[in-house]
Amino acid sequence: MKLTEIELRRVALPLVTPFRTSFGEETARDVLLLRVATADAEGWGECVAGAEPRYSSEYVDGAADVLRRFLLPAVADLPDLHPEAVAPALGFVRGHRMAKAALELAVLDAWLRARGVSLAGHLGATRERVPAGVSVGIMGSLPALLDAVAGYLDAGYLRIKLKIEPGWDLEPVAAVRERFGDELALQVDANAAYTLGDADHLAGLDPFGLLLIEQPLPEEDLLGHAELQRRLRTPVCLDESITSVKAAADALALGACRIVNVKAGRMGGYLEARRLHDLCHARGVPLWCGGMLETGIGRAANVALAALPGFTLPGDTSASGRYYHLDVTEPFVLRDGHLEVPKGPGLGVEPLPEALAELTTSVERVPP
Ligand code: NPQ
Ligand code: MG
């Protein structure tokens, strides 16, 4: 396989409602899509980097730059392009995992479409639908939070994740438990907003029977997470820290987490994400698929991944309508609290030309 066309496309998607986390508030998503073509097929990839380097060190202009200058030329130069060859060919570039993942996904999609194989099938999916959870942003008030959670539960979401930060943690969790009861599958995500000095305070979450607390401490602090886990009954789950299978194996060996959030972008690609799945599945480590406010392109890939047998908890694989009134593809919809896994070749979804045109802010052709 050889690339005949490469296109970097930026799309801007206004959010249905502002989404606030401990690292900032988003009102729109600025997304980099990658389109490649070969003699036989077209492939799409999505880069999950945000507009600003707040969730992680990557950001969308940086991803576009490293793709244009280093990653795309390295892949275009490969004599026999194959999905498994992408990550090794990009190994000379340190970091930039989200940019690498977008490129690997576009190549995978083209390769699978040319062969009539679905991404879910290729990865080893065993389910036709995946349970959907939803991530609920930090709100100004408890009544607003309770209304939002009630709306998501009415829509059918099977698990609620509350974003937390210092000053918005015990009270919202207590209020949600009080209103919706102990049976509600409930977890929290701090996006690295705490320090080990907050351990006693965070132990105040223990009586609420949460599924997990996600990434309380900074990305690099595995030992801190291990110490914190010793002081909490609530299972610690890592997100930002899990940048590779090796990082996950180290975290598990240290006792830094008991549960793993899998995000392909954060780990450099869906193939590395599948290897993390395999490790966790073999060891019986609970696992779930995270989300980065993807368009239908990245969402389709996440849903395919989440259909593997080791995903034992509902993911942040929400319906498109949780974030967007208009998506670049046909929207993913909730049916009985689940999303259907696409069956068609590759991602099984395609951008809709009209929606794509309406949302596009720039297109750049890169010579293959
Ligand atoms: C998380 N996602 O699990 C992330 C955080 C997140 C669904 O909670 C732009 C770029 C906006 C990256 C918003 C969810 C983002 C983003 C949230 C990441 O930690
Ligand atoms: Mg997270």
Side-chain angles (χ1 to χ4, degrees):
M1 189 167 102
K2 186 120 186 77
L3 299 185
T4 56
E5 276 179 70
I6 304 169
E7 203 177 85
L8 297 177
R9 180 182 288 261
R10 291 283 278 274
V11 293
L13 288 84
L15 290 173
V16 162
T17 165
F19 186 48
R20 186 167 144 213
T21 65
S22 64
F23 59 83
E25 184 172 70
E26 312 279 335
T27 55
R29 191 78 169 86
D30 175 1
V31 180
L32 171 64
L33 298 178
L34 193 57
R35 186 181 71 88
V36 300
T38 68
D40 313 308
E42 187 178 72
W44 287 88
E46 173 169 344
C47 179
V48 299
E52 298 180 358
R54 294 178 181 271
Y55 164 83
S56 79
S57 64
E58 289 191 78
Y59 64 104
V60 67
D61 286 333
D65 186 69
V66 78
L67 277 160
R68 199 184 285 126
R69 292 173 59 193
F70 301 105
L71 306 179
L72 289 166
V75 160
D77 280 351
L78 288 176
D80 181 24
L81 180 55
H82 183 276
E84 316 280 341
V86 174
L90 303 181
F92 74 103
V93 172
R94 305 291 175 204
H96 295 283
R97 293 179 182 88
M98 294 174 182
K100 292 174 177 176
L103 176 50
E104 186 194 67
L105 182 59
V107 170
L108 246 181
D109 186 33
W111 193 82
L112 292 170
R113 282 184 205 265
R115 283 155 185 79
V117 174
S118 72
L119 178 61
H122 180 72
L123 293 175
T126 53
R127 290 190 269 249
E128 297 198 328
R129 57 179 210 158
V130 300
V134 61
S135 179
V136 184
I138 294 166
M139 306 268 173
S141 73
L142 294 176
L145 174 69
L146 295 175
D147 282 354
V149 172
Y152 293 130
L153 293 176
D154 283 346
Y157 284 103
L158 299 171
R159 181 228 71 191
I160 298 291
K161 160 168 138 180
L162 303 183
K163 291 294 198 175
I164 60 167
E165 67 183 2
W168 182 263
D169 43 31
L170 304 185
E171 290 78 12
V173 167
V176 168
R177 268 281 177 254
E178 159 99 56
R179 165 88 178 267
F180 301 102
D182 292 341
E183 297 307 302
L184 173 66
L186 183 64
Q187 62 192 55
V188 294
D189 186 358
N191 288 110
Y194 293 89
T195 71
L196 203 46
D198 298 312
D200 288 340
H201 178 71
L202 291 173
L205 291 169
D206 283 342
F208 295 106
L210 300 177
L211 288 168
L212 57 90
I213 177 172
E214 184 178 346
Q215 199 72 38
L217 307 179
E219 179 177 330
E220 302 78 9
D221 196 6
L222 290 185
L223 289 180
H225 280 105
E227 173 61 23
L228 181 63
Q229 180 68 93
R230 285 190 282 275
R231 295 166 63 175
L232 299 183
R233 268 189 290 128
T234 306
V236 172
C237 171
L238 290 177
D239 171 1
E240 286 89 329
S241 297
I242 307 296
T243 53
S244 63
V245 172
K246 159 84 169 116
D250 289 355
L252 291 167
L254 287 166
C257 66
R258 295 182 185 157
I259 300 178
V260 171
N261 167 326
V262 181
K263 284 178 183 169
R266 194 195 59 214
M267 312 184 59
Y270 283 84
L271 300 180
E272 180 76 357
R274 183 186 50 189
R275 288 189 286 272
L276 176 56
H277 161 274
D278 295 348
L279 174 101
C280 291
H281 192 35
R283 296 191 187 180
V285 175
L287 180 71
W288 57 283
C289 184
M292 293 287 282
L293 285 56
E294 287 86 352
T295 75
I297 298 293
R299 195 166 301 276
N302 287 345
V303 168
L305 180 66
L308 271 67
F311 286 84
T312 53
L313 292 168
D316 282 343
T317 42
S318 302
S320 308
R322 155 69 183 86
Y323 296 112
Y324 308 117
H325 288 301
L326 177 67
D327 201 341
V328 302
T329 66
E330 286 291 344
F332 281 84
V333 295
L334 268 192
R335 276 194 18 215
D336 203 14
H338 292 70
L339 300 187
E340 220 171 291
V341 180
K343 288 190 170 68
L347 292 168
V349 301
E350 269 143 355
L352 303 167
E354 272 197 10
L356 191 62
E358 183 168 338
L359 298 169
T360 295
T361 54
S362 69
V363 186
E364 175 186 345
R365 300 279 289 222
V366 177

